Structure formats: C-alpha cells, structure tokens
Amino acid sequence: MRNWLDGVLVYMMYLVSLGNTINPACECVIYQSYGGSSGRFTSPNFPQVYPRKTTCILYTFIGDVGEIVELTFLQFDLKLPSHNRCGDFVRVFQNLDRPEVNEYSKHDVELCGNISMIDKNFYSKSRSLVLEFHADGLPGGNYSGFQGLFHFRDKPSFRETDGVIRPRRVDVVNSRDEYTISGTRVPGTQCTYYFTSNNYNKTGRFFSPKYPQPYPASATCQYHFEALPGERVQLFFQNIQLHHQDTSYGWGSCRDSPDAVVVYDGRDNKSNVIGQYCDIHNQVELVSSGRYLFIEFYSDDRHAKKGFSATYKFISYLHPPDKNYHQDPQNGSRGTPWGSKITTLSPEFHCNENYNSAKRKNGTISSPFYPRSYPSDVTCRYTFQGVGRERVQIRFTHMDLYYPGGDATNPGDCEGTDSISVHVIISGKPANLGTYCGKKLPPMLMSNEPKLIVEFRSVQSSTYVTGFQADYSFVTNFGINEGKQDNRGVCMFNFFSTKQSQGTFSSPNYPGLYPRNTECHYLFYGRGKERVHITFPKFQVDGISPKCEEGTESDYVSFSNFAETEDRKMHRLCGVITEEKRRHIESDGPFFRVIFKSNDVYDAEGFQAFFKFRGMSEEKETLYQKHGTDEHIHGLEGSGAKPRSTRPTTSNGTGTNYPFVLLLFTAIFTHILMTST
C-alpha cells in the first residue's frame, strides 16, 4: 500500500454553477483525506510547459474532522509579474468554512514568478484549502508550472498566533519561534514595539504582522529603537514584499503607495525620512545618525502580500575596519578580497583606507605617493560609510594613469591596464558604476545608499604618470542645491512662489551621473491663480520613450497636479533631449509635483530645468503679501500638501475635480425635475 495517498483523489471536469466557483467552467481536482494522508500536486504537464490557455483549475483539499491542510511548494515557475500584476497566478484560499469558493470569496495570497519570490508553506485555518491556477493565454515564455506536497495534519499539533497557523514546537528547550519579534509590544496594540539597547541585548529581529503569511488589512505598525549613548541603530531588511499601487505605466512613487515601510532618522515621524519602501526589495541596509530610529508600516484594506523580514543591531558610534581586510603575518601587508598583497614601501604609502562620516564629512583621496608615480602591481580600496540619508559624492580632480593602448585622453577598453572602478551596493551586492583609465576625468559620481567603494588597480607603471586625486563628500541633499529640502521624503524639495518666482532645479548629482535606485520629488507651491511653467534646457535620462515603462528598464521624469497620485494625463519623459521636451510643461493650478526616478540598471547625466510661476491675480497678490508664509501656503486650497503623518489613500490616479462633479450633479438633478414636470 502506498502511504502517500490514503485518501481519495477525484478528478472532475465539469461546468459548475456560478454560485459555487469563481469561473463557471473551472476544472476541478479534489484531494480528500481519510486520516492523515499526504501526496503530491502539480500543474498540468509538469515538469513540461503548462498550457498557455489554462483558464482555471481549482485544487481543493478536504481534510477529515479535526485536521488542517499543509501545503509545501517544492518547485514554482510561473510567468513573471508585469506592471506589478500577475498574468499567470496561483491564488491561495486559506480561511474557508466550507471547501468551496465563489466570485465573492477573497483569496489570501496571489503567487506568481519563481520559487524565490514566494512563501513555500501554507496552512489552512480549518479543514479545507483551495488553490486557483490561471494562465492569461497570451503567447510568450516557457514556464514549467509548479509541484508541491500536501499533508492532512492533526489540528492539535498546530497553534494559532496572531491569526497565523504554525506547527507546535516539540523541542521547546533553548529554542525560539523563528518569527518571534525581539522587542516589547505595547499592550493593547496590534504591532507597536520598542527595542532598547543594554549591555546584554544588541541584536534582534522584527517582522510585519503575521509574517511569513500575508499581513492583515488596514495595518498600522510602529517600531521604536533606542540605542545607548555613543551607539547607532543598524537595520537590515532581508526581504520586503508589499502591494504597490498599480499605475498606467506599471510602477510609480512609493509615496503614492497604500502599503509602505517608512524609516525615520529619529524618535518619531517628525524626524527625517531616510528610507521609504514599497513593492519588492532585497538586502536593504540602513544606519541611523543618532541614538534613535523609528519605523512605520501601513497597509490598505486589500491586496496584502508577504510583508517584510528584518534584523537590527545596536553598533558603536564608529564603524570598525572592513572585516574583509587583514594583516599579512609575514610582511605586515594587508591582503584584499582578490588575493593581491600590498607592501608598505614607506610612511607616505596610503592604501585600503576606510572613511567614516562620523570622523569627517569631506576630504581627498589619491593614488599612493601622489603626485609622484605610483608603484606597479598594487590594488587599493577606499571604502566610504555614511549614516542616515547621507550619500557619498566623488569628484575626480586629477587623472593620469598609465595607458599603453592608444590615446590616453580618450581611452577605449580599460581591460588589463591601470584603472579605477567605483562600486555601490544594490540589493546587498556590489554594482560597478564604471571603470576608468588613462587621462580622461571620470564623471562626478554618487552612491544610492550611504556606502561607496573606490578601487584602484595598477598593472604596470611609468615614471611619467602621476596617478589620481579625487574629492569626496558625505551629502544629505543629493547634490541638489535648489529649493528647500523637505524632511517628509528621502529626497524632496519645495519651491514657493513667495520665496522665488522663477529659478532652476536639477536631477541629483547634476551635472554628474545621477545615482541609481533613487527617487526625488520637487513640489511647487504657487499662489491663487498662478500656474507652474517648466522647461528642460538639458535632458538626458536613460530610457525608451514615449512611454518610459518599467518593462524597458527606463528611468524617467513624471508630472502630477496631485500630491498623492500619478496624473495619467501627464506623460513621462525619458531619453535624450528633443525639441518636444524643450517646450514648456504647465500645471493646471498653483500646485505641481515633478518626480525623478531611476532604477538599478543604468545611469546618465540627468536634467537641468527652469521653472517659473505665472498668472496670479491682483487680489491674490494682495492677500499673499499680507498673509504669505510657508505654513499658510501649505494650508491653502490647491496646495496639495500632504501632512507628515497621513498615509496615501486609494485612488484611480486621475484625481477628482470636486467643483466640476458638484456642477454635473446639479445639472442632472435639474434636468430630472424639469422632465418630471
């Protein structure tokens, strides 16, 4: 007897009434237990490609009395999500009273993509669980589908904690629940926690509610961290998976997202925002600039996802040297991760230096023995570590490396010759911003996080070369010197017509290359009937126009007349400047928002823009001369200012013209009265 299936497997293909299923033509596969049975379930044709026209298959698992269903995905390979939507998907219904679903049933999880993007284990709350498998029927892609195990388990062997079903621990001695939050929860709250450093507690973990199962609807969570004097708070998000509000382009600003994690560099949400995350992120590291750090997590009432998993550590005020470096026991040299060794030739020799913003906010680095020639066969690493929302900016002032391959003032391939490489950290892994050689100055560069690494390698040298020199700075304004920086965002700047009727603004780090994985907001606050006019004398943003979509890996500049939603009638801009982009862009009213967003793939020079407030009436001019303050502007009709503590609301992205709506309803009501008489 095969003990993997003591129950009954019934395969039925039939039409079901709409009241009992999501699709009246769903194919159904039923697995029923007769006491502790188990087995496998697969997509059609597995491990071959599943049919593209798989409209609907319902996998229904029915346990015996006193049992629950446990599912474990062993393999999962579905079409990747596009525009933040799953074309092919598996929906999981865990909270069922009866083994059936209909068009009103709310699924608990929607899965797509590959095995690394999903949670592998699911448990039913009662005796039944249903999977819905759907393929969109569109051509393209060869995906093998999924394979998994099911078990019907005794319910007493499991426990429910905060709405999450988990196995009971048999060995509870010196063990901790894998998803236990290390902090202290405030009584009477769902997820408000405090984490305090002491002599015995320096590290721990925290999660979104119910993790690794989907977080609850309308969640509002707070996580407070307090370090000892002389310490800082270091966070590390292993994984973030949140629902992100769909836009017509497939992705948008996290400030518009109904589900988000916001990290503040201080005690509460009045502090500087140093991180704001939605959608999917991996391996994110943040360090506070002081003793305190505060996190908010909020969600709307629909489309929940897995949430986030993170660790924290209370660290000393100054970072220790890079653990990848060590003293060579034979000659006192320091090895590098690449295995090369550097001999200390003289007291003037400087190599493998660590620069921390706690010591200095700016300074200079150079090749060994600069401005004299450097030795051959050396590898030097200069590591920069900032805190909070600091970014590392590198400006090269001198470049003279040995280049035997041709014109050193316009070098081609830098492979195999003396060179400088600049690296940043993206999703926990090093990413090369560029490798430079010869005599041509590299562009000004900026990190996307508070860490940056410059690596200098010499293969051979010459007495006629002088090496390199560069200035570094830890900056918090992203190299943007225009406008008034707004602490409500990581990179946000306000422009008030009461302060300046016209001026310029630019992409971060302009005229150098803009940083990757960066989002900046420029908010314009006019007066009365003023409108904002914007032109782009310089524009070079990597992307494919006219749509500048995520699928084309495009960076972009977008525009909106609304403070919290993307304006669908306003087109995005990307690519290289054209005459069309030279024409002015105009707001509908006194408030206007410009968003710059870059991805983690490419970079370019960015943009420089000119703005001007035009068209205010004399009455409004008199009013604002009398009462025109920044605070007053934030409270005026049409300003679009978003209070610091409020979350975005669900919107269709088009905004609402309330006077027009009122006028429309009045006209309809008048027409009905006239018709009835």
Side-chain angles (χ1 to χ4, degrees):
M1 291 293 293
R2 293 179 301 174
N3 59 8
W4 62 268
L5 185 55
D6 294 327
V8 176
L9 169 62
V10 184
Y11 179 79
M12 298 175 289
M13 182 180 298
Y14 59 94
L15 295 180
V16 189
S17 67
L18 188 61
N20 290 329
T21 65
I22 294 180
N23 188 319
C26 282
E27 302 175 10
C28 294
V29 181
I30 298 179
Y31 301 87
Q32 186 169 346
S33 169
Y34 286 101
S37 54
S38 61
R40 292 179 180 266
F41 62 96
T42 66
S43 55
N45 297 341
F46 185 87
Q48 306 301 320
V49 177
Y50 58 81
R52 296 298 309 145
K53 294 184 179 180
T54 305
T55 304
C56 175
I57 298 179
L58 295 180
Y59 297 78
T60 302
F61 302 85
I62 306 172
D64 205 346
V65 176
E67 291 183 336
I68 66 170
V69 184
E70 178 188 51
L71 296 187
T72 302
F73 283 99
L74 303 177
Q75 299 183 59
F76 197 92
D77 180 31
L78 266 61
K79 186 177 180 180
L80 293 171
S82 176
H83 298 171
N84 201 40
R85 292 183 177 180
C86 296
D88 299 359
F89 58 76
V90 172
R91 288 177 175 168
V92 185
F93 299 81
Q94 297 170 260
N95 295 287
L96 299 176
D97 295 325
R98 301 176 60 186
E100 59 184 37
V101 293
N102 57 41
E103 72 271 28
Y104 304 109
S105 301
K106 182 179 180 181
H107 61 273
D108 297 286
V109 187
E110 183 175 87
L111 309 175
C112 62
N114 55 53
I115 191 71
S116 66
M117 301 170 64
I118 69 167
D119 187 35
K120 301 176 184 63
N121 297 306
F122 296 92
Y123 300 92
S124 65
K125 195 167 185 177
S126 59
R127 59 184 294 193
S128 58
L129 186 149
V130 173
L131 300 181
E132 178 194 359
F133 176 45
H134 168 84
D136 59 17
L138 299 177
N142 295 318
Y143 305 97
S144 59
F146 56 85
Q147 176 185 218
L149 297 176
F150 68 86
H151 290 84
F152 296 105
R153 305 287 195 183
D154 289 335
K155 191 170 185 179
S157 301
F158 291 76
R159 60 185 175 86
E160 182 175 350
T161 304
D162 296 329
V164 180
I165 304 295
R166 297 192 181 105
R168 293 187 184 274
R169 303 293 289 262
V170 177
D171 179 15
V172 297
V173 180
N174 295 325
S175 67
R176 295 180 63 188
D177 194 319
E178 185 180 357
Y179 300 110
T180 296
I181 295 179
S182 304
T184 302
R185 183 167 65 90
V186 176
T189 67
Q190 179 189 30
C191 47
T192 297
Y193 289 87
Y194 280 82
F195 306 83
T196 305
S197 175
N198 54 49
N199 293 331
Y200 309 100
N201 178 23
K202 298 297 182 185
T203 63
R205 300 171 296 179
F206 63 102
F207 310 92
S208 54
K210 296 188 176 183
Y211 188 90
Q213 297 193 35
Y215 47 81
S218 302
T220 301
C221 300
Q222 298 181 347
Y223 306 84
H224 302 259
F225 297 85
E226 180 178 354
L228 293 174
E231 292 182 336
R232 290 177 176 170
V233 186
Q234 182 182 54
L235 299 182
F236 187 74
F237 289 92
Q238 288 95 348
N239 180 250
I240 300 174
Q241 293 187 36
L242 307 179
H243 167 65
H244 186 35
Q245 182 169 309
D246 298 329
T247 71
S248 56
Y249 297 97
W251 64 327
S253 169
C254 281
R255 284 184 58 81
D256 303 340
S257 181
D259 297 6
V261 174
V262 187
V263 184
Y264 299 86
D265 192 17
R267 290 177 178 267
D268 51 35
N269 60 10
K270 296 182 178 61
S271 306
N272 294 345
V273 174
I274 61 173
Q276 189 158 4
Y277 306 100
C278 59
D279 208 8
I280 298 175
H281 298 270
N282 293 302
Q283 315 298 314
V284 176
E285 182 179 348
L286 294 166
V287 181
S288 66
S289 63
R291 293 177 55 192
Y292 301 98
L293 190 139
F294 174 67
I295 299 176
E296 280 185 326
F297 165 64
Y298 54 78
S299 66
D300 66 1
D301 58 356
R302 54 179 181 170
H303 302 307
K305 287 198 173 182
K306 187 175 181 180
F308 66 84
S309 169
T311 61
Y312 67 88
K313 185 177 182 180
F314 297 110
I315 61 176
S316 60
Y317 190 70
L318 298 178
H319 287 270
D322 193 327
K323 65 181 180 181
N324 290 324
Y325 290 89
H326 58 275
Q327 289 292 123
D328 187 281
Q330 295 183 352
N331 55 22
S333 64
R334 282 191 284 184
T336 73
W338 294 271
S340 61
K341 296 181 179 178
I342 303 169
T343 304
T344 304
L345 302 177
S346 78
E348 300 177 35
F349 186 89
H350 297 286
C351 197
N352 294 339
E353 300 292 332
N354 292 281
Y355 299 88
N356 193 293
S357 65
K359 289 185 176 181
R360 294 188 63 179
K361 296 297 184 185
N362 51 69
T364 301
I365 62 172
S366 59
S367 52
F369 303 114
Y370 179 85
R372 291 176 287 163
S373 59
Y374 49 82
S376 60
D377 194 26
V378 297
T379 299
C380 296
R381 217 176 183 220
Y382 311 82
T383 302
F384 301 87
Q385 180 66 62
V387 296
R389 64 181 177 196
E390 288 180 338
R391 298 296 186 265
V392 186
Q393 187 179 55
I394 298 289
R395 185 194 302 267
F396 288 87
T397 56
H398 182 81
M399 186 75 169
D400 183 18
L401 306 185
Y402 181 67
Y403 185 74
D407 184 3
T409 61
N410 189 26
D413 187 9
C414 295
E415 183 71 25
T417 188
D418 299 355
S419 63
I420 295 172
S421 297
V422 182
H423 304 268
V424 295
I425 306 300
I426 296 178
S427 296
K429 300 179 181 179
N432 188 359
L433 293 185
T435 299
Y436 310 96
C437 55
K439 297 179 181 293
K440 186 177 181 180
L441 278 177
M444 185 167 61
L445 300 171
M446 179 176 286
S447 65
N448 59 297
E449 292 184 356
K451 188 171 185 177
L452 182 140
I453 301 164
V454 176
E455 181 191 33
F456 167 63
R457 288 190 180 189
S458 69
V459 179
Q460 55 189 4
S461 186
S462 167
T463 57
Y464 300 104
V465 296
T466 55
F468 78 90
Q469 186 178 56
D471 296 332
Y472 71 87
S473 299
F474 293 97
V475 300
T476 58
N477 67 349
F478 290 79
I480 299 173
N481 299 310
E482 309 90 356
K484 181 179 179 181
Q485 191 162 9
D486 191 331
N487 292 335
R488 294 176 300 166
V490 179
C491 179
M492 180 180 291
F493 297 85
N494 296 326
F495 299 83
F496 301 98
S497 65
T498 53
K499 302 294 185 182
Q500 189 179 8
S501 62
Q502 61 183 21
T504 61
F505 66 100
S506 61
S507 53
N509 199 46
Y510 186 84
L513 301 184
Y514 51 75
R516 298 181 186 179
N517 262 10
T518 297
E519 179 179 315
C520 291
H521 292 243
Y522 310 83
L523 308 181
F524 296 86
Y525 297 92
R527 303 170 290 176
K529 296 182 180 179
E530 282 184 338
R531 295 187 178 186
V532 186
H533 293 246
I534 294 176
T535 56
F536 290 93
K538 304 284 186 180
F539 193 95
Q540 185 179 346
V541 175
D542 188 86
I544 299 177
S545 58
K547 291 187 176 182
C548 309
E549 292 179 311
E550 179 187 19
T552 60
E553 296 182 329
S554 294
D555 304 330
Y556 66 84
V557 176
S558 67
F559 311 90
S560 179
N561 289 287
F562 313 109
E564 299 178 2
T565 59
E566 187 156 353
D567 197 336
R568 294 185 180 181
K569 72 176 182 179
M570 305 291 291
H571 294 291
R572 290 179 176 179
L573 296 183
C574 64
V576 181
I577 189 170
T578 63
E579 288 300 321
E580 178 184 357
K581 293 167 189 170
R582 292 182 186 274
R583 296 202 297 267
H584 74 266
I585 296 170
E586 181 178 295
S587 67
D588 291 344
F591 173 80
F592 202 48
R593 180 174 63 152
V594 179
I595 300 174
F596 165 78
K597 189 165 185 177
S598 63
N599 58 32
D600 59 0
V601 183
Y602 303 112
D603 36 43
E605 184 177 306
F607 68 84
Q608 185 179 51
F610 177 79
F611 72 89
K612 186 173 184 178
F613 294 97
R614 295 179 180 174
M616 189 181 73
S617 67
E618 293 183 3
E619 287 185 25
K620 292 292 183 181
E621 178 70 41
T622 303
L623 174 64
Y624 278 82
Q625 286 176 350
K626 186 176 181 180
H627 302 289
T629 64
D630 290 355
E631 292 77 11
H632 185 62
I633 291 174
H634 275 282
L636 289 177
E637 176 185 343
S639 69
K642 182 171 72 173
R644 185 188 304 271
S645 60
T646 58
R647 69 176 67 179
T649 54
T650 305
S651 171
N652 61 5
T654 59
T656 304
N657 189 332
Y658 292 103
F660 172 78
V661 174
L662 181 60
L663 182 61
L664 178 62
F665 275 104
T666 302
I668 294 173
F669 184 67
T670 303
H671 175 73
I672 293 174
L673 288 177
M674 294 179 64
T675 304
S676 62
T677 56

